[in-house]
Amino acid sequence: MAEYDVLIKNAKIVEGTGKKAYKGSIGVQGDKVVALGDAKGDAKRTVNAKGLTATPGFIDAHSHADWTLLWFPKAESYTMQGVTTFVGGQCGGSPAPLGEYIRLPWPLMDRLPDLDPFKFYPKQPYYPLEQANEWMEEIYGWTLDWEDMAGYFRKVEEVGVSMNYAPLVGHGSVRTKVMGLDYKRHGTKEEWAEMREHIHEAMKQGCLGMSAGLDYDPDVFAAHEEIIDGVSVLKDYEGVYCPHWRRTGRRRGVSAGHVPNEKITALMECVDVHEKTGVRLHYAHMSTGWEVHPPAPDELEAANVKTTLDMITANSKSELDITWDAIPQLTRSGFATMPYLASLYAPWLRELGGLEALGKWLKVKDFREEVKDAIRTGKWFIRVAYNPNTAPRWAENIMVLKSGVPDISGKTIAEIAGERAADPWDTYFDIIAEDPFTRGAT
């Protein structure tokens, strides 16, 4: 009988322990690695991994894949990158509990401009579950037929998926279940009690903790005391609290002159929750506590990082009491792939019908000013780092990847504007007018 199901030979092995990479072999039985480094013996299947690297499966510590998992159960975009586990239910949003009103799942959101046309934002933040399921049945032939996390887990198991899924319950989803569309206020004590019951239920059903989306509806309207009350439930289950902390404030109505939240204050707000509940804290997409303008030299940013981490962990009793994940901004499009330079101006793409039409109309001065005015007054929100209302150096954060316009590919909007001796915003629009199909990245 074969000693291994799979024997991988001649691989460059990275263990993930800090040990240097080395050449070796790996023996696999069933779904477990049983020999590492110098595996010898017979195998049902032998793989020659010469020239390839073998690593442990990567874990995506911050993911929203749970809302697309039933549509893409093989999760090819993950598995082809070596990701084998994701932590879902982030930023306050989980696939359950479901109530009378729900946030539409992302595949349905992609179709919403045709299902219920809008220019800037959907007509309502949450749609009746009944309406969502009419669309689901019509388009996909199945419905959101679960009520709680246990029901969702059964659906996932029924479909079958290729990933390991570590679930969080979203405080925003719980809040929507309890408060429906009447969420732009602090919850009552009676509503807090109902939320606690839903959190208890989700934890008993297998969730590892709870997330919150403190920049997003509906959690942005929750009182600090409401968050503490909900997080306190996790203590009974040794759960973890994973907040999308108040980095920017509510991402609506961000007009010229907007003053963003103080990040260090927002970070310490989460520490207060940890200290008052005794529940482990894990920050989603951690960043430094202070914005430094103009962009700082490495030494100053290093001090910013150290001071931030020293402050948030000052009273933690162990290294695992307070942890965090961060977006690896090693390449362009680390957070938002455009893919076209014009993609940030989606309302006008929807209104005009496409890239060519937008490029044509951006040659018209009155139209261009109308678009700028919509941004200045906060009618349309562009992410903070590349929003002219919130980032004085926004044009340095957008790069042209590929364009039919000569000599601009690989340059930032700021660099192109400097070469043209022109205003960066007008330069941005000029490029789209000259080649609407210009590819960009943030």
Side-chain angles (χ1 to χ4, degrees):
M1 186 175 69
E3 189 171 351
Y4 306 114
D5 291 321
V6 180
L7 178 62
I8 302 171
K9 293 182 173 181
N10 303 317
K12 181 180 180 181
I13 298 174
V14 178
E15 293 184 357
T17 61
K19 183 178 179 180
K20 287 185 177 181
Y22 61 91
K23 184 178 178 180
S25 54
I26 303 169
V28 179
Q29 285 180 353
D31 59 359
K32 292 184 178 180
V33 172
V34 295
L36 180 64
D38 188 25
K40 295 178 180 178
D42 296 330
K44 295 177 183 177
R45 180 185 174 206
T46 300
V47 176
N48 184 356
K50 185 177 181 180
L52 301 176
T53 301
T55 73
F58 296 120
I59 299 171
D60 185 348
H62 183 96
S63 174
H64 299 277
D66 42 355
W67 260 126
T68 58
L69 200 58
L70 297 177
W71 284 263
F72 305 99
K74 292 183 180 179
E76 292 93 340
S77 62
Y78 265 156
T79 55
M80 294 299 289
Q81 297 183 78
V83 178
T84 56
T85 302
F86 73 89
V87 184
Q90 300 281 357
C91 297
S94 55
L98 297 183
E100 183 181 358
Y101 291 92
I102 68 164
R103 187 184 299 278
L104 295 179
W106 288 4
L108 212 51
M109 280 296 296
D110 288 343
R111 294 174 177 265
L112 193 59
D114 296 321
L115 296 169
D116 193 18
F118 61 93
K119 180 176 178 179
F120 290 100
Y121 298 104
K123 295 174 184 176
Q124 48 190 338
Y126 307 104
Y127 278 77
L129 177 59
E130 183 178 357
Q131 174 65 82
N133 274 334
E134 285 181 16
W135 289 333
M136 286 291 299
E137 182 66 48
E138 177 185 347
I139 298 169
Y140 301 110
W142 54 278
T143 61
L144 312 178
D145 58 0
W146 60 88
E147 295 182 358
D148 54 17
M149 290 301 292
Y152 176 71
F153 297 153
R154 285 192 294 271
K155 187 75 171 181
V156 169
E157 290 171 351
E158 174 190 322
V159 171
V161 296
S162 67
M163 300 295 297
N164 300 309
Y165 164 34
L168 303 172
V169 64
H171 186 271
S173 296
V174 170
R175 203 168 197 266
T176 303
K177 168 76 173 180
V178 172
M179 300 177 71
L181 297 181
D182 183 26
Y183 64 84
K184 293 182 180 180
R185 58 176 176 83
H186 290 176
T188 65
K189 293 293 179 64
E190 292 75 17
E191 288 167 333
W192 292 10
E194 193 175 344
M195 291 181 210
R196 286 197 302 273
E197 288 306 308
H198 288 297
I199 298 167
H200 272 296
E201 182 178 60
M203 294 300 293
K204 290 174 183 176
Q205 292 171 347
C207 287
L208 303 179
M210 182 177 74
S211 72
L214 300 178
D215 280 336
Y216 303 121
D217 293 12
D219 279 345
V220 70
F221 295 99
H224 184 55
E225 294 73 20
E226 178 185 319
I227 298 297
I228 292 172
D229 189 71
V231 171
S232 67
V233 173
L234 307 181
K235 185 69 173 176
D236 293 344
Y237 308 91
E238 297 185 349
V240 60
Y241 173 48
C242 302
H244 168 123
W245 43 287
R246 301 183 196 274
R247 296 190 307 157
T248 62
R250 188 172 186 243
R251 297 176 181 184
R252 293 288 187 275
V254 179
S255 56
H258 169 79
V259 178
N261 289 348
E262 291 184 356
K263 293 199 297 180
I264 190 61
T265 301
L267 289 167
M268 295 306 294
E269 175 189 2
C270 299
V271 173
D272 187 62
V273 175
H274 162 69
E275 292 181 346
K276 288 179 176 174
T277 63
V279 172
R280 281 184 53 210
L281 169 64
H282 180 88
Y283 289 98
H285 27 64
M286 184 68 166
S287 72
T288 51
W290 291 268
E291 293 286 354
V292 182
H293 297 292
D298 290 345
E299 294 83 357
L300 189 53
E301 277 299 352
N304 195 357
V305 170
K306 182 178 185 304
T307 304
T308 299
L309 298 183
D310 286 348
M311 282 189 66
I312 67 172
T313 60
N315 297 323
S316 60
K317 297 176 182 178
S318 80
E319 291 184 353
L320 294 180
D321 280 351
I322 298 178
T323 55
W324 52 86
D325 58 63
I327 300 168
Q329 303 282 13
L330 304 178
T331 62
R332 287 283 174 172
S333 294
F335 201 91
T337 302
M338 299 173 82
Y340 297 99
L341 202 62
S343 297
L344 295 179
Y345 292 81
W348 296 276
L349 290 170
R350 282 192 284 268
E351 181 179 43
L352 298 172
L355 293 164
E356 290 180 320
L358 178 60
K360 177 181 177 181
W361 275 96
L362 281 175
K363 296 175 183 178
V364 179
K365 183 179 179 181
D366 290 349
F367 175 80
R368 185 179 290 204
E369 289 305 312
E370 287 177 9
V371 174
K372 287 183 178 179
D373 189 59
I375 306 299
R376 291 190 188 106
T377 58
K379 190 175 287 187
W380 176 240
F381 176 76
I382 297 175
R383 283 192 174 273
V384 173
Y386 28 97
N387 187 329
N389 290 337
T390 57
R393 294 173 175 263
W394 68 271
E396 296 175 6
N397 299 327
I398 301 177
M399 175 177 282
V400 173
L401 295 182
K402 184 178 180 181
S403 178
V405 180
D407 301 321
I408 68 170
S409 296
K411 298 177 181 178
T412 66
I413 299 299
E415 289 171 332
I416 299 165
E419 291 173 358
R420 296 185 176 192
D423 172 76
W425 209 348
D426 281 321
T427 298
Y428 188 100
F429 287 157
D430 287 341
I431 294 168
I432 297 171
E434 293 164 31
D435 178 11
F437 295 93
T438 294
R439 296 270 182 166
T442 56

